[in-house]
Amino acid sequence: MLVTSIIFLILIIAFIVVIFVVIKSTNSLSIPVKYKKYLVILFCAILLISTFVLFYLTKYNLINNTKANAEIINIPNSLDFNELSTQGKLSTSNWFVQKRKWSFDYSGKLLTITNIQGNNGTSSFILVERKNIDDGKIEVINYVTRSTVNGIDITDKIKPTSVELIKDNLTVNYGLNQPIKLNQYNPDIAIHQFMKSSQYKYEIGLNQSTFFGMKIVSIKIPKSLQIDKASSDNIQMIN
Amino acid sequence: MYLIETNLFKLAKKQYLFKLKTNFGLFFSLMLVQIFAIFISLGGVGSATGGGPGLDINITFVSGNIAFVFTLIWAFTISTIVTNIKNKNIDFTFVSNRFTSNFSNIGLLITLSLYGGLTAALSSNLIKILFYYISDNQNVINSGLLASPQYILINIISTIFYIILISSIGYFLGSLVQLNKIFILLCSAALPFVIILGLKLFSPNMNSTFIDFIKNLINFYISESSLFIFTVKILITASVFFSGAVLLSNRMEVKKC
């Protein structure tokens, strides 16, 4: 904090010196006054035009600051994922977004599922469901629960879990912490001072909820395939 | 007996128009300062970080605050320059007195404040447009992009008044320095204390009566949410500083060689 403050004050002093030098030097610049006037008028015109252009900018592709989504608040906790999966609600509900699908051909009788944690100890929630047939295929679907940051839906920015089948080991790797960079326009100091507090908080998302979601991996295995007891602990067998 | 009766207001107006013409470079210098501020602002004026399971979130904020601060610094600098000997000697080419000289200086500063306030407030819009086109729109949050016309106008008015306040303080300090050069030494000696005070103001752990007084003084202006009361506060404060500068200059000798 102290170092930051010192750096900040040094920068302020440096800017004062720079501005002082600029002022002193522009008075002695050999640009005729006539051209200085034209440049100043041009600058003012650009600023005025930019104000009008701002109203016509398309907001396509910009991220919308959605209101707190009641559906997100109602996302059930992990204890209910079994029931949701058997009811088929993982793929039909708005609470979950399907990220990726895999299908592996597997003819073995035993499968080891390894759930690798991310670099902060977080791991995917794995649901294993046995199919009614022996089709020799392991189908894997990765879902992500809807996630928001200050009311901004970032679900589509979350990368899927990686899944690999190497011999008889199905590895579900949560992956490293994913960096998500966002940019936001903030009201200026003067606007902030006179903007109503509730509107200001809404503009910068202070009164919006933040929900960090979970990654769910749904694995459907052939009827007679057995899961090795050496598999990771946090795996839920549905049937 | 005089053939032509002088009018104080007309004399001041003549001086004001002359100073406006001769000091046009100040408008140009503000333009350069604001262009510099705009380019710096494109890299963001602040950031916030956070995280959750598997996510590291970094939000970069973009606004016109750097242009606003640079304009305030510029206003302070030029208001001290206006009181220097070179500009004071210009007054002797006119039929004038200290009153008309100060009146024309204050008029010049208010004109510069109007120009500075307008351009600083509108710079924010230019920054938003430039950032819109140079950034990856997939990662830009929509809110805050468009301020309503009402708030653009409020931004312009409040920025103008902030600049008037800073100009009045700078003009007063400039007059103080012109009164006696000892004040240059005092101001230079006070700089380390100002830096320490600034550090203490930023530090949440530092508490003292004096620091609280300074904080309350600053909050008196920056936490006022009514535009009308804010302008009254600024006008009264600026009047006090400008009046102080006029009184100080009246104590000075006619001309310094």
Side-chain angles (χ1 to χ4, degrees), chain A residues 28-91:
Chain A
S28 57
L29 268 180
S30 55
I31 302 174
V33 174
K34 186 172 73 171
Y35 292 131
K36 283 184 186 176
K37 279 185 185 169
Y38 290 152
L39 287 169
V40 167
I41 291 169
L42 180 65
F43 179 65
C44 293
I46 290 171
L47 292 178
L48 280 170
I49 291 168
S50 67
T51 305
F52 289 105
V53 168
L54 198 61
F55 287 91
Y56 293 99
L57 279 183
T58 177
K59 294 179 187 175
Y60 182 66
N61 270 348
L62 297 186
I63 305 170
N64 285 318
N65 189 348
T66 57
K67 292 185 178 147
N69 192 331
E71 289 186 352
I72 292 177
I73 292 171
N74 290 329
I75 289 176
N77 61 36
S78 55
L79 296 174
D80 300 325
F81 287 165
N82 281 9
E83 192 178 329
L84 292 167
S85 178
T86 49
Q87 290 172 1
K89 281 197 175 171
L90 283 183
S91 52

Side-chain angles (χ1 to χ4, degrees), chain B residues 36-99:
Chain B
F36 179 57
I38 287 168
F39 280 112
I40 292 180
S41 300
L42 292 176
V45 299
S47 66
T49 55
L55 294 174
D56 290 330
I57 310 286
N58 183 288
I59 304 178
T60 302
F61 299 109
V62 176
S63 73
N65 288 341
I66 290 182
F68 173 75
V69 170
F70 274 34
T71 306
L72 289 181
I73 296 172
W74 167 87
F76 182 80
T77 312
I78 57 115
S79 58
T80 54
I81 288 173
V82 157
T83 57
N84 67 15
I85 289 178
K86 188 182 114 187
N87 284 328
K88 283 256 184 272
N89 286 343
I90 288 173
D91 291 328
F92 293 106
T93 58
F94 292 90
V95 174
S96 64
N97 58 17
R98 291 281 181 214
F99 177 78

Side-chain angles (χ1 to χ4, degrees), chain A residues 1 5 20 26 50-51 58-59 61 63-64 157 174 177-178 180 182-184 186 188-190 193 203 212, chain B residues 53-54 56 58 60 62 64-65 124-125 129 132 137-144 158 162 199 202 221 224:
Chain A
M1 177 72 192
S5 303
F20 186 77
T26 48
S50 67
T51 305
T58 177
K59 294 179 187 175
N61 270 348
I63 305 170
N64 285 318
K157 298 190 183 306
Y174 192 90
N177 265 13
Q178 182 186 339
I180 293 182
L182 301 171
N183 300 304
Q184 180 167 340
N186 251 13
D188 294 345
I189 293 173
Q193 183 175 343
E203 286 286 333
F212 287 119
Chain B
D56 290 330
N58 183 288
T60 302
V62 176
N65 288 341
S124 171
N125 299 330
I129 288 176
Y132 176 89
N137 282 339
Q138 303 283 346
N139 289 330
V140 179
I141 301 168
N142 175 25
S143 70
S158 53
Y162 269 120
L199 288 171
F202 284 122
Y221 298 101
E224 178 55 60

Side-chain angles (χ1 to χ4, degrees), chain B residues 153-202:
Chain B
L153 189 61
I154 288 173
N155 193 16
I156 292 171
I157 293 171
S158 53
T159 308
I160 288 171
F161 279 100
Y162 269 120
I163 296 172
I164 289 175
L165 175 65
I166 298 295
S167 298
S168 65
I169 295 171
Y171 190 63
F172 176 78
L173 289 175
S175 296
L176 208 60
V177 164
Q178 292 303 317
L179 184 66
N180 198 321
K181 295 297 180 196
I182 196 84
F183 286 109
I184 296 177
L185 287 172
L186 283 174
C187 289
S188 306
L191 190 59
F193 294 103
V194 169
I195 292 172
I196 293 169
L197 178 66
L199 288 171
K200 290 192 172 186
L201 279 172
F202 284 122

